[in-house]
Amino acid sequence: MKKGPLIILFCLLGVQSVQAQETGGLKENVAPPPAHKIEDGYRGTDDARVMTVKFAKTMHDGATLSLRGNLIKHKGDDRYVFRDKTDTIDVIIPKAVFDGREVQPDQMISINGSLDKKLSPPVVRIDRLQK
């Protein structure tokens, strides 16, 4: 058996493994953002739009929403009033979404749901609540 083709084959395999190590993985040459630029424990880009109640009211019917704020009032059945720093909106939260958890008006929560503009005033139908 000729040693020339084997040597070439091993050299080519060695070059491919070196090239594979250069891509992907953690790039440690970029510094993380300073701690004072991080809000609510979530990290993201500086230009990311924060979803607010005021902005949510301008969205189309059926739009998916993610809001942070407080439940301030129980209006009966599954209806509540949700408030953030910009405005208030009525929300519908089924008991199953609470999953046995209690929420106080002074606790910051995150809610996810869809906007229902067919009702007047518009409401948000909540399918996920996180304390």
Side-chain angles (χ1 to χ4, degrees), residues 42-78:
Y42 296 105
R43 294 183 182 196
T45 59
D46 291 337
D47 61 347
R49 172 173 265 169
V50 175
M51 176 76 65
T52 63
V53 171
K54 187 174 182 179
F55 177 73
K57 287 181 176 182
T58 66
M59 297 181 76
H60 63 85
D61 183 47
T64 301
L65 305 176
S66 182
L67 301 167
R68 285 189 55 79
N70 306 87
L71 282 180
I72 58 171
K73 185 177 180 186
H74 184 214
K75 295 177 84 174
D77 295 327
D78 294 341

Side-chain angles (χ1 to χ4, degrees), residues 42 68 101-104 107-110 129-131:
Y42 296 105
R68 285 189 55 79
R101 297 172 290 185
E102 285 188 10
V103 176
Q104 302 296 326
Q107 291 177 319
M108 179 74 73
I109 61 169
S110 296
L129 180 142
Q130 185 176 8
K131 286 173 63 170

Side-chain angles (χ1 to χ4, degrees), residues 5 20 25 42-43 62-63 67 69 80 85 99-100 104 106 111 120 123:
Y42 296 105
R43 294 183 182 196
L67 301 167
Y80 298 86
K85 60 186 173 185
D99 195 27
Q104 302 296 326
D106 64 341
I111 57 174
S120 182
V123 299

Side-chain angles (χ1 to χ4, degrees), residues 16 22 24 26-27 29-30 45 60 67-69 75 81 83 85 93 95 117 123-124 128:
Q16 289 178 352
E22 293 178 9
L26 177 64
K27 303 290 185 189
N29 60 348
V30 178
T45 59
H60 63 85
L67 301 167
R68 285 189 55 79
K75 295 177 84 174
V81 177
R83 179 184 69 197
K85 60 186 173 185
I93 308 176
K95 292 193 186 313
K117 283 189 129 177
V123 299
V124 180
R128 185 169 177 255

